[in-house]
Amino acid sequence: MTIQPLHQLNVDLGDRSYPIFIGHHILDNHQLISDYIQGSSAVIVSNTTVAPLYLDKVSQALELANIRYDSVILPDGETFKTLASVELIIDTLLKKRHDRKTTLIALGGGVVGDITGFAAAIYQRGVNFIQIPTTLLSQVDSSVGGKTGVNHPSGKNMIGAFYQPQCVIADTHTLETLPDRELSAGLAEVIKYGLIHDEKFFDWLETNIEKLMQKDYQLLSHAILVSCQTKAEIVAIDEKESGIRAILNLGHTFGHAIESAMGYGNWLHGEAVATGMVMALDLSERHHWIGPEVKQRTIQLLKNAHLPVKSPPQISPEQYMDYMSIDKKVDRGVIKFVLLKSLGKAIITADYDSALLTQTLSES
Ligand code: NAD
Ligand code: GLY
């Protein structure tokens, strides 16, 4: 029996539009993958954790469709989200004579997806790629919208390109093997969508957080669908982040500083975002844009998702300022923040009181 996706939605970007498929066991639907490969060759990029679990499924789909393929298995971890990993992929592409018609397939979490997308963007000035995200975070966020890239020792995601995939295939069955800490990290980004865009979804998350933590697949599919719908809607309006797309970065300016200051990989991206969102809400509250109940409800929801809500005490306000000053939202030397005007409504602003920012940095 062929397993059909439970949900399908589209990212509308004219001739670069693409579908997102969400469902349980949909990786067993071989055609779903092969239908989106235009040439006769492919390279699967994965890592040492995900490849032993799911590489066979993807390879089988390619074999059945007579597609010649190679694979690149990267070491696992945020510390390997580097130009060296991109070079490794390019080395294989060249060594195995892959031409401009080849397709790269990213099989893994956000790290593999971001690296592979960037390699696809630059190999022979751009080849096709497919996202097969296998973490909750990558299914609700990083695989959608075309941000690709790698880290530089001075800052997160400082090298990259906007480059859209041919399709995204999110199989919720892959979450079965996902460690609990990684599930929580994904829920941080899910909660973000409620905060920035959708008060009702935030209420729904408060009601269902325990079942989501227990990996109820029906509820997880719904959470992935709503998250991808929100992201697709925003990306369709502002693909290259010249405006509204920046609201998807709620908590990220503080969070990226935490990730960089603590050493890549020590705090998971989603964990840093969780604490960063509390800091953004704290700053919003200090401006009296939101009442204290919004931050309190968010802290409770994040705690119920087993996420950290306190800034690491070893990062001083000065260190925060250092890291945040190279954030991609810095405009003519001024750091812009994504803050809340109310639950479900985010703004991007440089119009904040820096004395209140200092209080947030020292008291969060
Ligand atoms: P990750 O890719 O490091 O994956 C987390 C861990 O889970 C890794 O050890 C991985 O090997 C393992 N794993 C993956 N799938 C698994 C599975 N099904 N079963 C068992 N283990 C599995 O981390 P992530 O949270 O998926 O992604 C974080 C990265 O995404 C960061 O680099 C962040 O900057 C990036 N990101 C990018 C965007 C974007 O728009 N491009 C958005 C958000 C985050
Ligand atoms: N994760 C933020 C964005 O894709 O814009």
Side-chain angles (χ1 to χ4, degrees):
M1 192 184 71
T2 307
I3 297 175
Q4 295 304 332
L6 187 61
H7 306 291
Q8 177 179 341
L9 64 151
N10 222 40
V11 183
D12 292 321
L13 289 167
D15 59 1
R16 289 171 299 105
S17 298
Y18 54 94
I20 302 168
F21 300 107
I22 303 161
H24 210 54
H25 285 292
I26 55 173
L27 276 184
D28 294 331
N29 180 342
H30 297 129
Q31 227 184 322
L32 213 51
I33 302 174
S34 55
D35 274 359
Y36 287 87
I37 296 181
Q38 282 160 16
S40 56
S41 77
V43 172
I44 309 167
V45 182
S46 193
N47 72 18
T48 46
T49 305
V50 179
L53 298 168
Y54 305 109
L55 185 67
D56 278 354
K57 274 187 197 292
V58 179
S59 310
Q60 218 184 346
L62 301 181
E63 276 159 24
L64 285 169
N66 278 325
I67 292 163
R68 170 178 81 87
Y69 70 92
D70 292 291
S71 43
V72 179
I73 309 303
L74 299 171
D76 185 4
E78 182 75 32
T79 44
F80 297 100
K81 192 173 153 180
T82 57
L83 280 175
S85 294
V86 175
E87 249 186 290
L88 230 124
I89 299 170
I90 306 261
D91 288 349
T92 301
L93 283 159
L94 287 169
K95 206 157 99 199
K96 304 284 184 174
R97 302 270 183 271
H98 285 269
D99 62 20
R100 296 177 80 176
K101 291 268 162 58
T102 203
T103 296
L104 300 197
I105 301 174
L107 174 68
V111 169
V112 166
D114 281 11
I115 299 171
T116 309
F118 185 53
I122 62 174
Y123 183 63
Q124 299 195 1
R125 300 204 179 87
V127 295
N128 286 349
F129 88 111
I130 291 175
Q131 289 273 20
I132 304 184
T134 61
T135 61
L136 180 62
L137 186 139
S138 55
Q139 295 182 349
V140 298
D141 191 351
S142 63
S143 64
V144 174
K147 278 191 184 174
T148 72
V150 295
N151 301 328
H152 184 274
S154 304
K156 272 275 296 179
N157 298 332
M158 280 295 142
I159 306 157
F162 286 98
Y163 197 66
Q164 303 293 343
Q166 305 310 112
C167 72
V168 178
I169 302 170
D171 184 344
T172 47
H173 175 63
T174 60
L175 302 180
E176 210 154 280
T177 51
L178 191 71
D180 290 345
R181 189 177 166 200
E182 300 291 349
L183 185 81
S184 294
L187 284 168
E189 301 279 11
V190 174
I191 292 167
K192 173 191 79 179
Y193 292 112
L195 285 168
I196 59 169
H197 190 68
D198 192 340
E199 186 177 357
K200 282 211 176 74
F201 184 49
F202 188 89
D203 296 344
W204 181 88
L205 288 168
E206 286 182 317
T207 307
N208 291 293
I209 191 66
E210 267 171 34
K211 286 189 182 144
L212 289 164
M213 291 289 285
Q214 288 158 8
K215 295 188 181 168
D216 177 316
Y217 290 106
Q218 288 290 333
L219 295 183
L220 280 170
S221 292
H222 178 74
I224 296 165
L225 175 68
V226 176
S227 302
C228 287
Q229 277 169 338
T230 303
K231 183 151 187 186
E233 195 182 305
I234 292 171
V235 167
I237 299 168
D238 178 24
E239 181 186 7
K240 301 267 171 79
E241 199 169 303
S242 45
I244 190 178
R245 180 166 179 167
I247 68 168
L248 293 170
N249 291 319
L250 176 72
H252 286 55
T253 305
F254 299 107
H256 284 165
I258 295 173
E259 278 185 270
S260 301
M262 299 304 285
Y264 294 132
N266 289 317
W267 273 54
L268 300 182
H269 175 73
E271 292 171 342
V273 165
T275 296
M277 290 195 297
V278 176
M279 295 173 82
L281 266 53
D282 183 84
L283 187 54
S284 309
E285 186 185 322
R286 286 178 196 274
H287 285 87
H288 304 291
W289 293 339
I290 54 169
E293 74 289 351
V294 178
K295 191 176 83 185
Q296 280 321 315
R297 280 174 69 187
T298 305
I299 288 176
Q300 193 52 53
L301 181 55
L302 293 169
K303 279 186 176 169
N304 290 347
H306 299 176
L307 285 158
V309 293
K310 293 287 288 173
S311 162
Q314 57 270 53
I315 311 179
S316 66
E318 294 72 29
Q319 262 180 304
Y320 265 111
M321 291 307 290
D322 268 356
Y323 280 108
M324 294 193 306
S325 65
I326 58 161
D327 187 87
K328 290 189 286 310
K329 284 185 295 302
V330 169
D331 187 2
R332 279 161 281 189
V334 180
I335 306 169
K336 285 186 176 171
F337 285 98
V338 181
L339 300 175
L340 287 200
K341 278 285 183 179
S342 62
L343 179 52
K345 182 159 177 25
I347 53 158
I348 308 132
T349 184
D351 194 14
Y352 53 86
D353 181 336
S354 35
L356 296 180
L357 172 61
T358 307
Q359 287 175 16
T360 291
L361 295 179
S362 40
E363 292 172 26
S364 286

